[in-house]
Amino acid sequence: MATKQSRSAARMMMAPAVTLLLGWMLVPLIMTLYFSFRDYRPLSGGDRGWVGFDNYMRFVTSSAFWPSVQTTLVIVGGVLVITVCLGILLAILLDQPMWGQGVVRILVIAPFFVMPTVSALVWKNMFMDPTNGLLAHLWRFFGAEPVQWLSQASLPSLIMIVSWQWLPFATLILLTAIQSLDSEQLEAAEMDGAPSLKRFWYIILPHLSRAITIVVLIQTIFLLGLFAEIFVTTGGAFGTKTLSYLIFQRVLESQNIGLGSAGGVYAIILANIVAIFLMRIVGKNLDA
Amino acid sequence: MTKSIRALLGATALTATAFAASAETLTIATVNNGDMIRMQGLTADFTAKTGHEVEWVTLEENVLRQRVTTDISTKGGAFDIMTIGMYETPIWGANGWLVALDDLSEEYDAADILPAMAGGLSHDGTLYAAPFYGESSMIMYRTDLMEKAGLEMPEAPTWTFIREAAAAMTDRDADINGICLRGKAGWGEGGAFITAMSNSFGARWFDMDWNAQFDTEAWANTLNFYKGMMDESGPAGYATNGFNENLSLFQQGKCGMWIDATVAASFVTNPNDSTVADSVGFALAPDNGLGKRSNWLWAWALAIPAGSQKADAAKQFVEWATSKDYIELVAANEGWANVPPGARTSLYENPNYMEVPFAKMTLQSILSADPNNSTVEESPYVGVQFAAIPEFAGIATDVSQEFSAAYAGQQTIEEALEKAQAITNDAMEAAGYR
């Protein structure tokens, strides 16, 4: 049992690390807040002083703001639905005894190790290019006009690329969960004559609920900041400008640090709203 | 060993030590264009001459612009030399962010730089970036396809002729598009092309009071003509094509015509890279009978950030890379067709270079572009395919995204122009111009 002295010694020893970590998190946050109240444009006059809530008003009333929030939510929602549904399917398949199971599992997980920029470039140039892409050749082989993926089906294309990257993560978590399922329970249900669909619905799916919650939470956090894939494929055109991309444009293209920082604060608020909403709806599974 | 030999050896050792001590490693940010890649291959010559090592950071055009702008505006100090263009140089020079290049050596011969290039890379008469290569834009076309279509390309065609010729050359079954043009979002990509094109249609970005002009007939005519022609005769997905995408299509023989940077001429006529190298012709960018052609003016130039710790070594590199000797070096290694064009007057006085098929047209295109007088109606800005104000890059990126969405059929041209008008006026008002 820890004594009073040993507890305070532990606190003393942890203090530097804790301070460093807090600073690490707080300094950028405070700087973002600070700049969001200033008219700071490095290319034209630098820091031109305090402007109150002007940047916040301008950012939220700009014509690009609400469409960017909507695009962000559509992409996050689309990727979550695809990765969770296909993830469950793949996890069940990979759990079945099969020849070369280890190799198949590695292949399924492989996309997760590819850098986002690289995978976006591969999809853009090798698959989705309407002249030289593999899909264009496939479409032509069947006598159809190739699809101009990134310009005419931009959001579905992006969702497809990002889902491909995140599916292995979902599959891995869900596979681990399935493997922890008590096989006797399934066998008993089978002996009682429960069809496979009902076994899935009443036994497997409830068992997976915690894993699904983790997948949804973690993926949501990462997907809200989605950037590289948009930068590489569409450059924010064709209705693919997410909130994080809009902030990037305001800070780097327009060189308006104040406006971009205000956008950053909105992004933090949006991320928290989504996180709280998710925790309330699905997070209760974690308590079980 | 005699005394004198010993002294000589000692002196040599001392020189070598001093040489090693003063040797720097320069970090250079550059664009992934062919001429820059070639320069990287020849860096050993610079190192042999000066002892300085070079580390390259090679980036795609849009990325390079963002990286170097961020680095210099935040005084990041990541680069000793930056590859920048005619848009950035006067603005950064005015901000005091660049080392003035007014003390280059006599052998360098700064007076030999083409006046259009020196003018575009100066602020208040002081040169702030040395042009590595200069360019305008022109038509590159397939002579064989033109002949097959029963047409002859005039030296200075109109847009009407180009549209007709594009339709005549298009053969979808053979995967040949009559014309390939930039449609990719980005102010330096599709934004640059459509701005230069709009000049020939009588359009401009701003009136003399800095009001956006996208609600004018001239802009509607420009976009309707562009989209109409590209839908008829352009490649699939042209809304996502920029310089590199079109270069690749042209080299694969999939374009009848391509209007783009004059510097591309050496790539499309190089048999190692291009399948159509021996059947490429050149003509001036088209006009519309309004007195302005649709060619732009640009230079990729090397500049040194102010406050650089390695300014002297950096200046040595800038001199090396943009000198007459470098041009001779490339010519000796790769032939005259591959030297960096458009920067020096002497190059266009060199009989060897004037034998290169695109040399004359490149010079003619460069000389016909006037950044101080680029639009039919008077405008308050300098620049042919851009307006040289700090806000332009941000605004034009947003606007070109709207245009690309219209090319892809996601919205009408009217909608795109309405949005462009609102975006531009909002930004100009916020920046205090209106």
Side-chain angles (χ1 to χ4, degrees):
Chain A
M1 199 172 176
T3 62
K4 208 172 178 180
Q5 283 93 332
S6 68
R7 269 205 299 271
S8 43
R11 278 196 200 111
M12 289 274 285
M13 282 189 270
M14 280 196 304
V18 172
T19 315
L20 196 71
L21 277 173
L22 266 178
W24 186 269
M25 285 186 288
L26 285 178
V27 170
L29 193 63
I30 290 167
M31 282 177 77
T32 307
L33 268 172
Y34 172 76
F35 284 126
S36 70
F37 292 107
R38 302 191 74 81
D39 181 14
Y40 182 26
R41 282 178 277 167
L43 282 184
S44 39
D47 193 345
R48 304 200 283 198
W50 187 262
V51 288
F53 284 92
D54 274 13
N55 287 327
Y56 287 92
M57 284 304 293
R58 276 195 59 211
F59 196 89
V60 86
T61 53
S62 86
S63 56
F65 177 71
W66 287 110
S68 73
V69 172
Q70 195 186 342
T71 305
T72 309
L73 296 177
V74 168
I75 292 178
V76 172
V79 175
L80 284 179
V81 168
I82 291 174
T83 51
V84 169
C85 293
L86 285 182
I88 292 171
L89 200 69
L90 271 175
I92 292 170
L93 282 174
L94 289 174
D95 192 42
Q96 307 302 313
M98 66 171 104
W99 185 81
Q101 195 177 48
V103 177
V104 174
R105 281 181 183 174
I106 287 171
L107 283 177
V108 170
I109 294 162
F112 200 54
F113 300 114
V114 182
M115 278 167 64
T117 39
V118 176
S119 87
L121 269 175
V122 167
W123 274 91
K124 180 188 172 210
N125 294 332
M126 291 176 67
F127 291 103
M128 291 175 167
D129 186 281
T131 308
N132 297 316
L134 200 65
L135 295 175
H137 287 301
L138 194 68
W139 256 245
R140 273 194 220 103
F141 180 77
F142 288 107
E145 193 67 29
V147 178
Q148 293 168 33
W149 292 94
L150 291 167
S151 55
Q152 293 180 336
S154 42
L155 269 185
S157 303
L158 256 178
I159 291 172
M160 192 149 70
I161 294 169
V162 180
S163 298
W164 180 81
Q165 283 168 240
W166 280 94
L167 184 59
F169 172 78
T171 308
L172 201 64
I173 303 277
L174 294 165
L175 178 62
T176 317
I178 280 185
Q179 284 174 338
S180 70
L181 179 62
D182 187 359
S183 60
E184 282 178 17
Q185 208 179 348
L186 276 178
E187 279 163 21
E190 200 174 350
M191 283 171 73
D192 287 346
S196 53
L197 208 61
K198 286 202 166 167
R199 290 203 302 274
F200 170 76
W201 193 254
Y202 290 107
I203 300 173
I204 298 178
L205 203 57
H207 178 78
L208 287 179
S209 62
R210 290 181 77 172
I212 292 172
T213 307
I214 290 167
V215 169
V216 170
L217 277 176
I218 292 178
Q219 285 196 174
T220 304
I221 291 164
F222 280 94
L223 293 174
L224 281 172
L226 192 73
F227 175 79
E229 294 81 352
I230 303 170
F231 184 77
V232 170
T233 54
T234 62
F238 317 118
T240 59
K241 206 183 287 176
T242 56
L243 189 55
S244 57
Y245 202 88
L246 180 64
I247 294 164
F248 157 78
Q249 274 200 333
R250 293 295 170 262
V251 174
L252 283 156
E253 296 269 355
S254 305
Q255 285 285 305
N256 193 333
I257 311 290
L259 192 62
S261 300
V265 176
Y266 280 124
I268 294 168
I269 295 169
L270 177 75
N272 276 291
I273 292 173
V274 173
I276 291 167
F277 176 76
L278 281 173
M279 292 294 262
R280 289 224 157 177
I281 303 290
V282 292
K284 61 186 176 205
N285 287 328
L286 291 173
D287 300 331
Chain B
M1 201 181 289
T2 63
K3 247 185 192 171
S4 55
I5 290 179
R6 249 182 268 162
L8 197 65
L9 278 177
T12 311
L14 266 176
T15 314
T17 315
F19 194 66
S22 66
E24 304 271 13
T25 301
L26 299 167
T27 308
I28 307 179
T30 196
V31 64
N32 64 347
N33 290 350
D35 286 277
M36 312 312 195
I37 305 290
R38 199 170 284 134
M39 173 167 54
Q40 292 174 30
L42 297 168
T43 312
D45 180 74
F46 170 71
T47 305
K49 278 181 177 152
T50 62
H52 302 308
E53 298 285 338
V54 173
E55 268 177 20
W56 291 98
V57 178
T58 311
L59 302 162
E60 192 262 330
E61 192 169 321
N62 283 341
V63 187
L64 171 84
R65 287 202 170 109
Q66 285 146 12
R67 280 285 301 277
V68 296
T69 306
T70 309
D71 189 64
I72 200 150
S73 65
T74 57
K75 297 187 172 52
F79 306 112
D80 303 304
I81 295 168
M82 294 172 166
T83 306
I84 59 176
M86 273 194 182
Y87 171 62
E88 295 89 356
T89 309
I91 300 172
W92 294 8
N95 282 0
W97 292 351
L98 299 175
V99 171
L101 300 178
D102 49 3
D103 57 348
L104 298 173
S105 67
E106 244 176 62
E107 308 86 74
Y108 179 75
D109 193 6
D112 184 44
I113 296 173
L114 276 167
M117 296 300 149
L121 296 170
S122 299
H123 169 69
D124 268 352
T126 304
L127 191 71
Y128 280 98
F132 179 69
Y133 70 74
E135 63 175 40
S136 182
S137 51
M138 64 181 176
I139 303 170
M140 290 160 273
Y141 66 96
R142 291 271 301 279
T143 48
D144 55 335
L145 293 179
M146 201 53 121
E147 200 180 312
K148 197 174 153 197
L151 295 166
E152 198 178 330
M153 176 70 85
E155 193 177 282
T158 62
W159 274 112
T160 314
F161 174 83
I162 292 299
R163 187 168 183 168
E164 282 165 12
M169 283 196 269
T170 301
D171 182 355
R172 300 275 185 222
D173 292 336
D175 215 4
I176 290 171
N177 311 285
I179 187 159
C180 297
L181 298 174
R182 297 185 190 186
K184 189 180 188 174
W187 76 267
E189 282 279 9
F193 180 83
I194 202 73
T195 302
M197 181 177 172
S198 76
N199 293 337
S200 67
F201 278 75
R204 55 186 172 161
W205 268 76
F206 305 105
D207 68 8
M208 293 307 283
D209 297 319
W210 294 101
N211 295 307
Q213 295 295 295
F214 293 105
D215 55 355
T216 57
E217 208 185 323
W219 265 107
N221 289 342
T222 309
L223 287 200
N224 278 312
F225 189 94
Y226 174 91
K227 183 167 160 56
M229 180 171 66
M230 293 304 283
D231 286 346
E232 280 161 23
S233 315
Y238 66 87
T240 53
N241 287 352
F243 174 82
N244 283 325
E245 288 82 359
N246 284 326
L247 171 64
S248 163
L249 285 173
F250 196 93
Q251 286 177 330
Q252 290 171 45
K254 291 180 176 175
C255 303
M257 287 178 284
W258 178 31
I259 305 171
D260 215 303
T262 49
V263 75
S266 74
F267 310 135
V268 294
T269 52
N270 183 343
N272 295 329
D273 303 321
S274 174
T275 57
V276 293
D278 54 358
S279 52
V280 185
F282 305 95
L284 286 175
D287 75 346
N288 242 345
L290 298 174
K292 297 287 170 196
R293 307 205 78 82
S294 44
N295 55 314
W296 64 61
L297 187 69
W298 186 254
W300 277 117
L302 300 176
I304 305 163
S308 165
Q309 302 298 311
K310 301 173 185 170
D312 289 339
K315 216 173 261 184
Q316 279 180 291
F317 183 86
V318 171
E319 282 204 24
W320 172 80
T322 62
S323 65
K324 291 177 192 170
D325 286 351
Y326 177 80
I327 291 175
E328 296 275 350
L329 179 70
V330 178
N333 279 290
E334 319 240 357
W336 279 101
N338 293 314
V339 305
R344 288 186 167 271
T345 310
S346 55
L347 183 65
Y348 294 94
E349 288 161 357
N350 183 326
N352 291 322
Y353 189 67
M354 290 316 278
E355 274 174 28
V356 171
F358 48 81
K360 186 176 142 245
M361 194 55 68
T362 299
L363 182 65
Q364 230 174 307
S365 298
I366 288 173
L367 295 178
S368 71
D370 179 3
N372 294 309
N373 188 23
S374 60
T375 50
V376 174
E377 288 185 75
E378 204 183 357
S379 63
Y381 53 88
V382 173
V384 181
Q385 74 280 26
F386 57 83
I389 54 170
E391 292 74 14
F392 183 79
I395 300 171
T397 297
D398 278 345
V399 166
S400 71
Q401 282 172 350
E402 297 302 338
F403 288 176
S404 292
Y407 305 155
Q410 285 192 340
Q411 62 184 354
T412 64
I413 291 209
E414 290 71 32
E415 284 167 340
L417 286 170
E418 259 175 50
K419 288 180 189 172
Q421 178 78 1
I423 289 166
T424 310
N425 275 340
D426 281 356
M428 294 305 279
E429 206 167 305
Y433 285 80
R434 301 173 71 226

